[in-house]
Amino acid sequence: YNTAHYIDKSGKVLLAYRKVHLWHPERQYMKKGENGFSTVKNRFGIEIGLCICWDVAFPEVFRELAMKRKAQLIIAPAYWSLDDGGELAVAQDPLSEAKMLNSISTARCFENGIVFVLCNPANESNVKRKQPFGNMAGRTQIAVPFKGPVAHCDHEREEMIIANVDIKSIAEDAEEVYKVRQDWDAGLVYGGYANCGKSSRI
């Protein structure tokens, strides 16, 4: 399994997640996670969810974590390269994968009123040899509602980013403005708890 852990400052594993959406080549040597999605509350009272890499391509993952599980912060470790889309994607645009990561990161936090952290590898520094697993896409970022990325490696180079984010406050403000969770709970959002979107005969 491709597995991510959320670990507290004492080293205790608070949450383990097995990747559900495997990228096509991964299916040859990894099993799909069967435990679904869950969250955990950290010592600051923040509800945290995890997903991994290709999971971020599916808005349903964020609906599950943010709407059903009430996540305020979602963290996604990834291993995404600029070559993942293959020749067809590169022919369309060599930076298509980077553009995808940037647009998804902003969209997911706005759609769900959450803080989203994407952690993706950079290329090795100071080496001229070919990168062993493709040209990494980078684009590690911290994205929040209203603002989008507040810290961003908008490149493929090694860099550390740090941002102070009042997660509870910005998530609460997003809910006050957009009321996405309220409407979800009321069944006013397609896929929500009530019968929104259910076909009916006239």
Side-chain angles (χ1 to χ4, degrees), residues 173-190:
D173 286 352
E175 177 59 18
E176 179 64 26
V177 171
Y178 300 113
K179 303 190 187 318
V180 177
R181 294 171 195 256
Q182 175 182 309
D183 286 351
W184 177 275
D185 290 344
L188 300 175
V189 177
Y190 184 80

Side-chain angles (χ1 to χ4, degrees), residues 5 22 34 36 38-39 49 56 58 64 75 77 87 91 110 116 132 138-139 148 150 155 161 164 168 170 181 194 196:
H5 296 90
L22 297 179
E34 299 290 348
S38 57
T39 61
V56 306
F58 302 95
E64 177 72 22
I75 304 170
E87 293 180 5
F110 274 81
F116 178 54
R139 273 64 191 189
V150 292
H155 50 70
I161 56 174
N164 289 320
K168 276 188 176 180
I170 201 161
R181 294 171 195 256
C196 178

Side-chain angles (χ1 to χ4, degrees), residues 91-162:
Q92 291 287 339
D93 188 331
L95 290 177
S96 64
E97 299 299 314
K99 291 176 180 179
M100 183 178 185
L101 289 174
N102 281 342
S103 60
I104 283 175
S105 296
T106 296
R108 297 297 176 260
C109 71
F110 274 81
E111 289 168 345
N112 299 285
I114 52 100
V115 175
F116 178 54
V117 178
L118 173 72
C119 306
N120 196 49
N123 290 322
E124 295 176 278
S125 297
N126 303 318
V127 292
K128 298 193 177 184
R129 64 177 171 79
K130 185 177 179 181
Q131 299 294 301
F133 299 105
N135 189 21
M136 290 294 106
R139 273 64 191 189
T140 288
Q141 56 194 285
I142 302 166
V144 305
F146 305 113
K147 301 176 184 179
V150 292
H152 194 185
C153 297
D154 196 14
H155 50 70
E156 304 96 50
R157 303 182 305 277
E158 291 179 337
E159 184 181 347
M160 178 180 285
I161 56 174
I162 298 172

Side-chain angles (χ1 to χ4, degrees), residues 7-48:
I7 304 170
D8 72 8
K9 66 175 184 175
S10 70
K12 182 179 178 183
V13 176
L14 299 183
L15 181 63
Y17 164 69
R18 290 178 172 178
K19 185 178 180 185
V20 170
H21 299 95
L22 297 179
W23 181 235
H24 314 296
E26 285 181 307
R27 298 171 192 172
Q28 301 171 33
Y29 54 89
M30 285 187 182
K31 293 180 181 179
K32 171 186 172 182
E34 299 290 348
N35 299 329
F37 299 90
S38 57
T39 61
V40 67
K41 194 167 284 191
N42 69 7
R43 70 184 190 274
F44 303 109
I46 305 298
E47 200 72 35
I48 296 171

